Amino acid sequence: MADPTRAAKLADRIKEIIARRLDKGIRDPRLGFVTITDVRMTGDLQHASVFYTVYGTEEERADSAAALKAATGMLRTEVGRNITARTTPSLEFILDAVPENAARIQSLLEEARQRDEEARALARTAQYAGEPDPYVKPREQVDDED
């Protein structure tokens, strides 16, 4: 098991290398506007999971995923040339769900705001279900002096 700080540094380095290579361009026309968001290494530094996002439609995401899968060997070679490790880790490209999750959270927050406003509106016009003062009061004594 490698040192976690070394794994984090290697992951950052791999992220930079792949992002720089994608910025230079790959000759695959299917590749869209791809952003590398994160890289996670296994404890033995043999495998790197590369998370990415793609700007565009579902079809463009699928095309970009196919282009990245086809370019994995070339990108691994590029990583191997630019890192100082005994072995070059294998690369796995995973579509990052952060944008979809953020949109879902945003819609849930908006729904909660609407429900809170409805509850506030109901509270402004609400009335007590029973008597306004539900507490029992001591009985008044009646004078029976006739």
Side-chain angles (χ1 to χ4, degrees), residues 11-60:
D12 286 341
R13 182 73 180 127
I14 290 172
K15 180 180 173 181
E16 290 174 15
I17 293 166
I18 293 174
R20 190 174 347 109
R21 184 63 183 111
L22 290 176
D23 191 37
K24 286 181 184 177
I26 294 179
R27 293 185 190 141
D28 197 333
R30 299 176 294 177
L31 189 67
F33 185 70
V34 175
T35 302
I36 304 298
T37 56
D38 193 20
V39 175
R40 294 189 187 143
M41 300 293 299
T42 57
D44 59 359
L45 305 179
Q46 295 295 312
H47 183 75
S49 297
V50 181
F51 293 89
Y52 69 96
T53 59
V54 179
Y55 182 75
T57 63
E58 287 297 322
E59 182 181 337
E60 291 170 334

Side-chain angles (χ1 to χ4, degrees), residues 75-131:
L75 291 171
R76 184 172 183 222
T77 302
E78 186 79 17
V79 167
R81 287 186 195 138
N82 292 297
I83 63 171
T84 56
R86 190 177 72 211
T87 60
T88 302
S90 61
L91 302 177
E92 176 187 17
F93 289 94
I94 302 169
L95 183 62
D96 201 350
V98 170
E100 290 83 12
N101 290 342
R104 174 76 175 134
I105 290 170
Q106 186 65 31
S107 70
L108 290 173
L109 286 172
E110 184 59 35
E111 181 181 338
R113 277 189 212 102
Q114 290 174 354
R115 287 184 179 184
D116 286 347
E117 188 57 41
E118 290 171 5
R120 279 190 211 99
L122 288 174
R124 278 183 279 223
T125 60
Q127 296 179 354
Y128 291 108
E131 297 177 22

